[in-house]
Amino acid sequence: MGIVKLHDKFFKPFISSEEIDGTVERLAKEVYADLEGEVPLFVAILNGAFMLAADFLKKYPGDCEISFVKLASYSGTASTGQVEQLVGLNENPEGRTVVVLEDIVDTGNTLVEIHRIFSGMNVKSLKIATLFYKPEAYKQQLNIDYIGMELPHKFIVGYGLDYDGLGRNLPEIYQLKEKDMINLVLFGKPGAGKGTQAAYLKEKYSLVHISTGEVFRYNIKNETELGKLAKTYIDGGELVPDEVTINMLQAEVEKNEDAHGFIFDGFPRTTAQAEALDELLHGRGMEVNATIALEADDEVLIERLLERGKVSGRSDDQDKEKIRNRFEEYNEKTAPLMNYYKDQGKFYSVDGIGSIEEITTRLSRVIESLEVVSSK
Ligand code: IMP
Ligand code: MG
């Protein structure tokens, strides 16, 4: 049993065939204990219950009959709420004990339809037996007489259950795998190579690089509402409030719902911003998985920046004093932030001296040691 891919989604092993077998056996015995002396008519609900029906019947120790009704309500991984009867019952169940065999009860919409189907048929009694039941998804009041196993509100496939037609043949149950997200915060003094490394990491792990500076420039240039708002502060010589910045970042995150994660660069710069970022991510079921600081000796960085300044012409890269001031500022501002992440066990530091590949390798080692990762 390993990870299974069906269409566009991944599924992970969840319930073994041995466990299913034991559950089906228990279910059959429970039903038999109640109905001894009768010849029940089992009605399996197609398509999903075909595998259960076969196994259940083999384990049922008394006389019984079986028939099938075909209902459909699912499209993809969500119930449509509309239940259609595609194949009806041929037998006359009047006066008989009918036991419906369901693979799974989810919202309960199908159960309502089943009750409707049998309501005019004068059955002696109608009982419901289901292999799986998702209590958190169930929206009906109807009684379920026999339950094999209660499951969390997560989509499953296998043992008759499908995802858009596929997966019914799997002998075990697999659960939809939530996407593994890696969210990183990169720290580093000017010249430490954050931009260069972010470009490699985003390729390697399918991440989206969110550089706060670029996000600002983009919003201002394109005159978005947030960009215009930010500009009023900048033009007035004031700092852009955290709330405006975080709203811009939120818009970036929302633009990239399919991303495998984000690399935040240039944000957060304060503990308050780190808290705001946590709140933004937690609201979407994500978190910062690691913050990584690219460490390098000040003298080495100064050499690098002076070289860069010669090529780029950036004035702040050409003056040693200005460079030292930026380092000072970094030390002062980042220290409390590092503590914030250290307290959460999420802080890593990586030697930033070496070739680009060497540094990428060091960063990858940290990333791949995180529990969440699946490299592409
Ligand atoms: P309900 O009408 O919402 O209770 O859903 C019942 C039917 O939806 C089942 O008989 C299945 O065919 C399908 N279904 C519900 N949950 C799942 C699931 O997790 N995987 C595959 N099919 C499901
Ligand atoms: Mg079904």
Side-chain angles (χ1 to χ4, degrees):
M1 279 173 92
I3 300 288
V4 167
K5 185 170 190 234
L6 302 171
H7 299 296
D8 57 330
K9 297 201 188 307
F10 294 89
F11 296 84
K12 60 183 178 202
F14 185 44
I15 305 170
S16 69
S17 48
E18 290 76 19
E19 201 176 342
I20 297 170
D21 200 59
T23 307
V24 174
E25 178 149 6
R26 208 199 66 227
L27 206 58
K29 287 192 172 142
E30 266 180 52
V31 175
Y32 180 66
D34 280 358
L35 303 184
E36 242 192 285
E38 295 190 54
V39 179
L41 173 62
F42 291 116
V43 176
I45 308 300
L46 297 176
N47 289 334
F50 76 93
M51 213 176 266
L52 168 70
D55 285 347
F56 182 96
L57 246 73
K58 282 183 275 180
K59 294 179 196 301
Y60 194 78
D63 285 349
C64 59
E65 290 179 36
I66 183 144
S67 188
F68 300 88
V69 164
K70 180 161 173 165
L71 301 177
S73 70
Y74 249 61
S75 162
T77 57
S79 176
T80 60
Q82 294 264 1
V83 181
E84 267 184 284
Q85 187 173 230
L86 305 175
V87 176
L89 195 67
N90 305 115
E91 292 70 12
N92 181 3
E94 198 176 322
R96 310 221 20 205
T97 293
V98 171
V99 181
V100 169
L101 297 179
E102 257 288 31
D103 45 348
I104 188 164
V105 174
D106 184 52
T107 62
N109 292 333
T110 307
L111 272 195
V112 172
E113 181 61 16
I114 290 167
H115 274 267
R116 204 191 57 74
I117 290 171
F118 287 99
S119 63
M121 293 185 170
N122 280 322
V123 297
K124 183 177 163 209
S125 79
L126 177 66
K127 297 201 180 283
I128 309 291
T130 186
L131 178 57
F132 300 121
Y133 170 54
K134 297 184 195 163
E136 293 157 49
Y138 193 57
K139 294 199 213 95
Q140 304 296 338
Q141 306 301 319
L142 297 166
N143 185 47
I144 307 173
D145 304 272
Y146 308 97
I147 293 172
M149 239 188 252
E150 293 198 357
L151 301 184
H153 192 359
K154 297 242 173 89
F155 190 77
I156 56 170
V157 292
Y159 198 74
L161 292 154
D162 71 310
Y163 165 49
D164 266 352
L166 297 183
R168 296 195 196 275
N169 55 326
L170 297 164
E172 309 89 8
I173 293 289
Y174 292 75
Q175 191 179 60
L176 181 63
K177 201 169 178 293
E178 311 290 342
K179 224 185 332 170
D180 287 337
M181 303 277 292
I182 327 163
N183 297 302
L184 305 174
V185 173
L186 273 190
F187 285 135
K189 286 178 187 165
K194 276 186 303 172
T196 309
Q197 291 301 328
Y200 282 99
L201 296 180
K202 85 176 194 196
E203 275 308 309
K204 189 165 179 189
Y205 299 104
S206 305
L207 306 178
V208 171
H209 179 201
I210 299 186
S211 148
T212 320
E214 272 169 40
V215 172
F216 265 112
R217 284 189 287 277
Y218 170 87
N219 277 278
I220 291 171
K221 181 163 164 262
N222 290 285
E223 299 187 340
T224 66
E225 285 309 312
L226 287 167
K228 283 191 267 184
L229 184 58
K231 198 164 180 296
T232 60
Y233 292 99
I234 294 168
D235 288 350
E238 286 173 72
L239 281 176
V240 178
D242 284 353
E243 201 195 316
V244 177
T245 311
I246 201 85
N247 283 341
M248 281 192 204
L249 295 186
Q250 178 164 348
E252 287 305 304
V253 169
E254 279 167 8
K255 259 192 244 168
N256 295 286
E257 292 289 13
D258 287 337
H260 286 244
F262 299 91
I263 303 175
F264 295 96
D265 165 2
F267 192 93
R269 286 186 198 274
T270 62
T271 309
Q273 289 183 349
E275 284 163 356
L277 182 62
D278 280 350
E279 200 184 306
L280 164 66
L281 293 177
H282 291 166
R284 333 184 84 71
M286 304 190 274
E287 60 173 351
V288 170
N289 301 102
T291 68
I292 311 180
L294 276 175
E295 306 281 8
D297 187 73
D298 283 3
E299 298 314 311
V300 176
L301 293 181
I302 290 171
E303 284 313 308
R304 272 193 203 168
L305 287 172
L306 291 173
E307 278 304 310
R308 187 169 94 178
K310 276 187 216 156
V311 182
S312 72
R314 269 178 70 165
S315 64
D316 58 347
D317 281 353
Q318 291 173 358
D319 181 325
K320 266 195 194 183
E321 264 327 288
K322 280 189 188 158
I323 293 173
R324 283 194 199 283
N325 283 342
R326 280 152 72 201
F327 288 179
E328 275 309 308
E329 194 190 313
Y330 174 87
N331 284 337
E332 264 169 45
K333 288 216 172 136
T334 328
L337 260 185
M338 290 185 178
N339 289 331
Y340 178 84
Y341 288 114
K342 270 181 194 159
D343 288 345
Q344 298 179 30
K346 291 178 176 175
F347 184 81
Y348 300 84
S349 97
V350 159
D351 180 4
I353 304 294
S355 69
I356 290 174
E357 298 83 60
E358 280 168 343
I359 299 166
T360 311
T361 305
R362 289 175 202 149
L363 288 167
S364 303
R365 222 175 280 139
V366 171
I367 293 170
E368 281 162 24
S369 76
L370 303 171
E371 228 174 86
V372 292
V373 165
S374 56
S375 175
K376 73 170 175 184

